Amino acid sequence: MAATEFSQEQLDEIYAFAVDLGRRAGQLLLESVEKRLDGGSQAIEEKDSAVDIVTQTDEDVEAFIKASIQDRYPSHKFIGEETYAKGQSREYLIDEQPTWCIDPLDGTVNFTHIFPMFCVSIGFIVNHRPVIGVIYAPFQDQLFSSCINRGAWLNEKRRLPLIHKPSIPPMPPTAPGKCILSCEWGKDRRDIPDGNMYRKIESFLNLAAETGSRGGKGGMVHGVRSLGSATLDLAYTAMGSFDIWWEGGCWEWDVAAGIAILLEAGGLVTTANPPEDPDTAPIEDVKLGSRLYLGIRPAGPSDTETGRQSQERTVREVWKRVRQLDFARPGA
Amino acid sequence: MAATEFSQEQLDEIYAFAVDLGRRAGQLLLESVEKRLDGGSQAIEEKDSAVDIVTQTDEDVEAFIKASIQDRYPSHKFIGEETYAKGQSREYLIDEQPTWCIDPLDGTVNFTHIFPMFCVSIGFIVNHRPVIGVIYAPFQDQLFSSCINRGAWLNEKRRLPLIHKPSIPPMPPTAPGKCILSCEWGKDRRDIPDGNMYRKIESFLNLAAETGSRGGKGGMVHGVRSLGSATLDLAYTAMGSFDIWWEGGCWEWDVAAGIAILLEAGGLVTTANPPEDPDTAPIEDVKLGSRLYLGIRPAGPSDTETGRQSQERTVREVWKRVRQLDFARPGA
């Protein structure tokens, strides 16, 4: 178990540090937005494009986070989106060492358009298991955080998932019916017959269409949501707002913090790609670097099932309706 | 012009009333959420389909808004989602009379799942033209408002669109490329060949696929977003966060306030359904009850175009990539 290398006291201290770091990094993102809005002495010169500003903010915030972590925990490994993306390798680099896996700015397109669904994402991983997660969306001042054994929280005061009294509801008996599906169109828009884009859309359609249609695959989800931020998709799944998050193509820094929070809230995360026999295949913990994720919200028991059973039933029903995606990579 | 029946002073007074009413109604929505978090039970009954849930809150908040308006402006007409939906008619009932068109709770599915994208929507219409709009999303405390000739605002302090210094950017030269597309899957999930669901998805795909693919229709939008609230889609288009909002199937109470705000911010709203010749057809103001909407964000001039020209160019490029939807109704 991940936490065995650290005492709870040590983890609590790291958690407090991560929450503070997330808030400060988010504040930098917000200041960058406000610079774009307010003009005056901080006005952007016209020669600077919005894209340059984002790149600069992205790099500045990552440098700030990295320096803060290396100052406080010099022995820990650090993987950030910006430093990683500049290298040549696409290998999965996380091993059993304590590792910080961070995205200084998730939802970059949203950030450039000042759509509030952007955030900083800070995950702390031990033995491949994200044990601490901090996600801060500064424009709407929503902080999602968790530490193993300490629960998951919204703004450090409301326990996640939000619907927890008198008890967390089980997944609906008709799931994916009555569920909110969270999914993203992503960046792979190549017009390749049976390629990732078409497989994604076919999967969305199966989950959305009226019950039993499309050769029995129609899932009649309650709603389909796309926010443009895998990190916030996970945060809202931990909150209980989204029931199912199905995604391929994002990276470990997009999901490390969100997986920590979703797991601590009581959710389940496994692979997006359906196995050969979705009815009986084992439901394994997700591989962090797999780029293929299926998250299910926290669920409580019903008269006939444990919460976990209702989640696993939902995983299998999703698997029956989705296509395999191709996001293979070395090392994962 | 709509405002001619009322003096600006009268409209300003109605605007102040509407803003206050929106805040108070939103507070009721928030209190209802907090009751659910704290253990209260919420009666949820099924309406038309599994997707169409109405809550007691919906009815209570509409009754509160209606009573407030009838007390203050007894001569004005009132159309609310809940009272309308209980009648048998699906006719378009708005005429040239001063009319309040309100949705006590837009984003009902989000509300039931406690996903923050729900809001109250209050529009005031004169001569078929929405002249005042108030949208309040209480969970994230975002108030969007406008009055004709008074500008559009976020939280009564930031002018919309948000990116306005040194000037509002024109629509991108490659639009729909580099645009964020806002769209919704909606409630019509019937598996009918070439039906509304498939026409919507084909349109989304055309707009999303790499430039020039799909027989030249590929639009390579920067991102595809679905929030589950037509009202908030419009609000974020007015903010400049979304560049293009393309939607069929929602109703006048979903859009009255949002259209007021988007128009006052400098946006354009016309029909979603492409005409026979998208290159030359006139771009007419949207019909409020048409259930077919195409909104374009506020845009400033470039060296070669006025803002309006860049918006109209975008409308035509969208029309070339989307299918006609069937949401005909009597009276509209």
Side-chain angles (χ1 to χ4, degrees), chain B residues 213-240:
Chain B
S213 67
R214 296 178 63 81
K217 293 195 170 178
M220 196 60 189
V221 296
H222 218 161
V224 180
R225 304 288 178 266
S226 300
L227 304 183
S229 162
T231 304
L232 287 169
D233 291 343
L234 270 162
Y236 288 117
T237 307
M239 194 154 125

Side-chain angles (χ1 to χ4, degrees), chain A residues 37 114 178 198 214 241, chain B residues 46 114 162 189 198 214 241:
Chain A
L37 294 182
I114 315 188
K178 307 209 173 188
Y198 288 104
R214 295 178 63 80
S241 305
Chain B
E46 295 208 357
I114 314 187
L162 282 191
R189 312 280 186 71
Y198 287 104
R214 296 178 63 81
S241 305

Side-chain angles (χ1 to χ4, degrees), chain B residues 16-93:
Chain B
F17 167 79
V19 167
D20 179 64
L21 185 59
R23 282 200 190 281
R24 286 190 292 152
Q27 192 55 38
L28 294 179
L29 296 181
L30 198 58
E31 282 166 17
S32 166
V33 165
E34 281 169 356
K35 250 186 240 169
R36 273 189 288 160
L37 293 181
D38 292 339
S41 68
Q42 196 69 13
I44 292 172
E45 61 177 85
E46 295 208 357
K47 207 157 58 174
D48 291 342
S49 74
V51 173
D52 209 346
I53 284 179
V54 63
T55 64
Q56 190 63 44
T57 306
D58 223 345
E59 295 184 11
D60 291 350
V61 176
E62 176 154 326
F64 164 75
I65 293 173
K66 186 174 186 176
S68 302
I69 289 171
Q70 290 183 335
D71 183 51
R72 178 74 167 257
Y73 302 110
S75 69
H76 294 180
K77 279 181 66 176
F78 178 91
I79 290 179
E81 191 211 0
E82 288 308 304
T83 36
Y84 182 96
K86 282 191 174 154
Q88 293 306 302
S89 161
R90 283 289 176 272
E91 260 187 271
Y92 180 64
L93 300 172

Side-chain angles (χ1 to χ4, degrees), chain A residues 37-38 110 113-114 117 158 162 178 189 191 198 208 210 213-214 220-222 225-227 241 243, chain B residues 37 46 50-51 53 110 113-114 117 158 162 189 191 198 208 210 213-214 221 225-227 241 243:
Chain A
L37 294 182
D38 286 340
N110 293 338
H113 290 250
I114 315 188
M117 290 288 173
R158 284 210 188 269
L162 282 191
K178 307 209 173 188
R189 310 282 185 72
D191 185 16
Y198 288 104
E210 61 185 332
S213 67
R214 295 178 63 80
M220 195 61 188
V221 296
H222 219 159
R225 304 288 178 265
S226 299
L227 304 183
S241 305
D243 301 281
Chain B
L37 293 181
E46 295 208 357
V51 173
I53 284 179
N110 293 338
H113 289 250
I114 314 187
M117 290 289 172
R158 283 207 189 271
L162 282 191
R189 312 280 186 71
D191 185 14
Y198 287 104
E210 61 185 333
S213 67
R214 296 178 63 81
V221 296
R225 304 288 178 266
S226 300
L227 304 183
S241 305
D243 301 280

Side-chain angles (χ1 to χ4, degrees), chain A residues 33-34 36-40 44 46 51 107 109-110 112-117 139-140 142 154 158 161-166 178-180 183-187 189-192 197-198 201 204-205 207-211 213-215 220-229 236 239-243 297, chain B residues 34 36-40 46 49-53 109-110 112-117 139-140 142 154 158 162-167 178-180 183-187 189-192 197-198 201 204-205 207-210 213-215 220-229 236 239-243 297:
Chain A
V33 165
E34 281 171 355
R36 276 189 286 160
L37 294 182
D38 286 340
I44 313 154
E46 271 184 84
V51 174
V109 172
N110 293 338
T112 61
H113 290 250
I114 315 188
F115 176 55
M117 290 288 173
F139 198 93
Q140 48 210 21
Q142 289 179 339
L154 172 63
R158 284 210 188 269
L162 282 191
I163 306 183
H164 60 96
K165 286 178 182 177
K178 307 209 173 188
C179 291
I180 291 191
C183 57
E184 302 293 344
W185 287 66
K187 294 174 185 169
R189 310 282 185 72
R190 290 171 299 168
D191 185 16
I192 298 169
M197 181 177 70
Y198 288 104
I201 301 313
F204 300 170
L205 255 172
L207 289 162
E210 61 185 332
T211 306
S213 67
R214 295 178 63 80
M220 195 61 188
V221 296
H222 219 159
V224 179
R225 304 288 178 265
S226 299
L227 304 183
S229 162
Y236 288 117
M239 194 154 125
S241 305
F242 297 156
D243 301 281
R297 70 154 165 86
Chain B
E34 281 169 356
R36 273 189 288 160
L37 293 181
D38 292 339
E46 295 208 357
S49 74
V51 173
D52 209 346
I53 284 179
V109 171
N110 293 338
T112 60
H113 289 250
I114 314 187
F115 176 54
M117 290 289 172
F139 198 92
Q140 48 210 20
Q142 288 179 340
L154 172 62
R158 283 207 189 271
L162 282 191
I163 305 182
H164 61 96
K165 285 182 181 175
S167 62
K178 307 211 173 184
C179 291
I180 292 191
C183 57
E184 302 293 344
W185 287 67
K187 295 173 184 174
R189 312 280 186 71
R190 290 171 297 167
D191 185 14
I192 298 170
M197 181 176 72
Y198 287 104
I201 300 313
F204 300 169
L205 255 172
L207 289 161
E210 61 185 333
S213 67
R214 296 178 63 81
M220 196 60 189
V221 296
H222 218 161
V224 180
R225 304 288 178 266
S226 300
L227 304 183
S229 162
Y236 288 117
M239 194 154 125
S241 305
F242 297 156
D243 301 280
R297 71 152 165 86

Side-chain angles (χ1 to χ4, degrees), chain B residues 299-326:
Chain B
S302 68
D303 291 343
T304 57
E305 285 176 311
T306 65
R308 175 77 188 191
Q309 284 171 327
S310 79
Q311 292 170 326
E312 292 198 351
R313 170 173 50 76
T314 306
V315 165
R316 297 186 192 285
E317 293 300 322
V318 172
W319 277 347
K320 289 177 198 172
R321 290 164 170 87
V322 296
R323 298 287 310 278
Q324 292 215 339
L325 303 174
D326 177 19

